[in-house]
């Protein structure tokens, strides 16, 4: 069957805000951390978009690694979540017991999100991002500490950890959207880079999308404007998913 034409997803909604309590305190801390980080990026990488985006993508994929690490730990301890319905359960052939597949779905989702952010990183590297030692030094050290912060936060409060990552993804969408508006004419005059041509439309890209978006055509991929629009759109999908994870609340549920 013919696929539906590609359309950019709507801009990310306003980041999730808890009514109060400890989660709201954690969200305020997250907002302060992201605000400070954005101020540093603005100061250091003014008029250096590809270098900035490479640093941003290096950091943006870190929480997915952290989520995977914690979920693998839970899975190793047999914590796969309650087996509440036939759709989310299957029989363990070794024991004959029913076991939940919801945690496995969440693991798979975060793995595909990691792959997506890695392809963004490769795109930025093809444009010269990561060539400067200072950028590599700063991004890799931020990533190291961010990983352990994300692990600790995810262990204590998955909603708080997802909120921090949501803020990162919303900022990424805003950064790419602003770049497209400011440099669109120049980007339209330059061809798409090879990593983007290979990734968009592939099975890895399509499986990363929510179910309601998987049956669409691949985004146009002729110019750098197309590349950055597709990357921006991916960030909107991530932000939407992270908001949904917070709303669901239970790690045992995922799609």
């Amino acid at each position: 069957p013919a696929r539906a034409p590609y359309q950019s997803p709507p801009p990310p909604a306003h980041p999730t805000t808890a009514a109060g309590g400890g989660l709201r305190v954690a969200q305020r801390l997250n907002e302060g951390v992201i605000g400070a980080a954005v101020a540093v990026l603005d100061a250091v990488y003014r008029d250096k978009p590809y270098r900035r985006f490479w640093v941003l993508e290096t950091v943006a994929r870190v929480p997915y690694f952290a989520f995977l690490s914690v979920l693998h730990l839970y899975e190793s301890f047999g914590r796969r979540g309650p087996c509440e319905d036939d759709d989310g359960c299957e029989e363990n052939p070794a024991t004959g017991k029913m076991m939940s597949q919801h945690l496995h779905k969440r693991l798979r989702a975060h793995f595909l999100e990691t792959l997506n952010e890695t392809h963004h990183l490769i795109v930025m590297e093809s444009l010269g991002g990561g060539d400067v030692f200072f950028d590599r030094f700063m991004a890799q050290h931020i990533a190291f500490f961010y990983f352990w912060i994300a692990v600790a936060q995810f262990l204590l409060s998955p909603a708080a950890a997802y909120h921090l990552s949501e803020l990162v993804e919303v900022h990424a969408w805003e950064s790419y959207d602003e770049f497209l508006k400011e440099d669109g004419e120049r980007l339209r005059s330059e061809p798409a880079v090879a990593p983007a041509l290979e990734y968009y439309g592939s099975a890895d890209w399509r499986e990363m999308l929510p179910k309601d978006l998987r049956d669409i055509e691949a985004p146009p991929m002729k110019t750098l404007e197309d590349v950055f629009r597709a990357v921006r759109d991916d960030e909107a999908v991530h932000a939407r998913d992270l908001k949904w994870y917070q709303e669901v609340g239970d790690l045992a549920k995922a799609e």
Side-chain angles (χ1 to χ4, degrees):
R3 297 187 184 275
Y6 179 84
Q7 290 185 331
S8 293
H14 189 275
T16 307
T17 302
L23 180 57
R24 183 56 190 144
V25 172
Q27 290 177 344
R28 289 188 183 277
L29 289 173
N30 289 344
E31 292 161 1
V33 168
I34 295 301
V38 169
V40 171
L41 289 175
D42 287 344
V44 174
Y45 293 106
R46 189 178 304 279
D47 300 323
K48 303 178 182 70
Y50 298 151
R51 291 174 59 187
R52 176 195 178 113
F53 294 148
W54 183 85
V55 172
L56 184 60
E57 293 297 345
T58 299
V59 174
R61 66 185 187 148
V62 166
Y64 299 116
F65 292 140
F67 302 158
L68 284 169
S69 297
V70 175
L71 291 174
H72 274 296
L73 179 66
Y74 289 160
E75 199 277 339
S76 298
F77 289 160
R79 180 184 164 187
R80 298 185 179 93
C83 192
E84 297 175 341
D85 55 75
D86 293 338
D87 182 57
C89 303
E90 69 177 29
E91 184 176 349
N92 184 334
T95 64
K97 295 181 179 179
M98 298 301 291
M99 60 183 184
S100 172
Q101 294 300 299
H102 289 303
L103 190 99
H104 294 169
K105 291 180 180 180
R106 186 71 63 93
L107 277 164
R108 184 172 178 275
H110 290 330
F111 177 71
L112 290 168
E113 289 158 348
T114 300
L115 283 181
N116 179 258
E117 297 290 9
T118 299
H119 281 287
H120 293 177
L121 188 67
I122 294 171
V123 166
M124 301 313 154
E125 287 176 351
S126 72
L127 295 168
D131 288 351
V132 179
F133 172 79
F134 172 79
D135 299 342
R136 298 195 301 273
F137 181 87
M138 185 171 74
Q140 290 163 3
H141 281 74
I142 293 173
F144 175 82
F145 289 105
Y146 185 19
F147 173 83
W148 292 109
I149 291 170
V151 166
Q153 198 174 38
F154 197 69
L155 283 166
L156 295 171
S157 172
Y162 283 137
H163 176 261
L164 180 57
S165 192
E166 180 190 9
L167 293 176
V168 172
E169 299 293 1
V170 169
H171 169 68
W173 185 93
E174 292 171 346
S175 297
Y176 289 124
D177 190 60
E178 182 178 356
F179 181 58
L180 284 164
K181 291 174 181 176
E182 293 181 351
D183 283 38
E185 184 175 351
R186 175 181 66 81
L187 295 172
R188 281 190 291 274
S189 68
E190 299 183 30
V193 292
L197 292 170
E198 294 171 4
Y199 177 64
Y200 286 100
S202 69
D204 285 344
W205 171 76
R206 197 170 297 282
E207 290 179 30
M208 180 273 303
L209 299 173
K211 285 184 176 180
D212 61 326
L213 297 178
R214 286 178 192 165
D215 192 26
I216 59 173
E217 295 177 354
M221 203 53 56
K222 295 181 179 179
T223 68
L224 270 186
E225 183 185 40
D226 295 329
V227 173
F228 278 96
R229 182 179 294 111
V231 171
R232 179 203 64 183
D233 292 352
D234 288 347
E235 308 298 2
V237 171
H238 293 322
R240 166 183 157 170
D241 288 347
L242 289 159
K243 181 179 287 293
W244 183 80
Y245 297 148
Q246 294 171 72
E247 292 171 351
V248 168
D250 186 354
L251 285 179
K253 299 178 181 178
E255 285 294 339

